Each structure stands twice: as C-alpha cells, then as structure tokens.
Amino acid sequence: MAYKVLNYHDEPYGDHQIGFCTVDMSGKCTIILKVLKSRQGNIYCAFNSVRIGSSWLPDFSFSDKDFERTFLSDCLEQIKPM
C-alpha cells in the first residue's frame, strides 16, 4: 500500500500535541494523524483516539502492528521537511 503525507497543520494543544497531518492511502482514503511530542521530547505520529468508558482507543489501527509502526514512522519522516 502506497501512502503519502499531503500536508501538515501546526495545531498545538496541551503539553503534547503539536499538530496534525493528512495522509493519502493509495487514493483509496485519507487518514488524519496527530503529531505529538513525548515527555522526553521525541516527536511521533499517532492515530486519533476516543475515550470509551475509562479507556482511550484509537479511531483506526492496522491489524499488523509491525506495519503500523513502520507506517507511523514513515509518515513522521515525510513530515520533517514540511
């Protein structure tokens, strides 16, 4: 599956969120990811989440967690030049 980060929107919120990016998934769909900064200062991408009961669950995730980690890491690399 080919994917490309189309744009990045600087949208700081709270202590960790720094923005959002839009990712085109092979022309089949578009996903919006959060761009966050960890307490240690590392920047990373994550799927948006929703609170259900006492748990925060991602709105979307890949069944293959290795692919998911690679996907999120690759999206971050595409954001850096933006």
Side-chain angles (χ1 to χ4, degrees), residues 39-56:
R39 289 186 180 119
Q40 295 80 21
N42 299 316
I43 296 174
Y44 64 98
C45 293
F47 295 108
N48 291 304
S49 56
V50 62
R51 185 174 183 165
I52 299 176
S54 61
S55 300
W56 284 94

Side-chain angles (χ1 to χ4, degrees), residues 5 8 74-82:
V5 174
Y8 170 77
D74 288 349
C75 287
L76 179 61
E77 290 302 315
Q78 291 183 41
I79 291 170
K80 288 180 180 179
M82 297 181 170

Side-chain angles (χ1 to χ4, degrees), residues 21-74:
C21 69
T22 306
V23 183
D24 175 69
M25 303 293 288
S26 303
K28 304 290 184 198
C29 70
T30 303
I31 297 175
I32 297 173
L33 301 176
K34 280 196 243 187
V35 182
L36 305 157
K37 184 183 276 190
S38 71
R39 289 186 180 119
Q40 295 80 21
N42 299 316
I43 296 174
Y44 64 98
C45 293
F47 295 108
N48 291 304
S49 56
V50 62
R51 185 174 183 165
I52 299 176
S54 61
S55 300
W56 284 94
L57 303 171
D59 288 343
F60 177 88
S61 66
F62 290 104
S63 298
D64 181 342
K65 295 304 174 189
D66 289 331
F67 177 80
E68 183 173 296
R69 280 189 286 279
T70 301
F71 169 78
L72 294 171
S73 180
D74 288 349

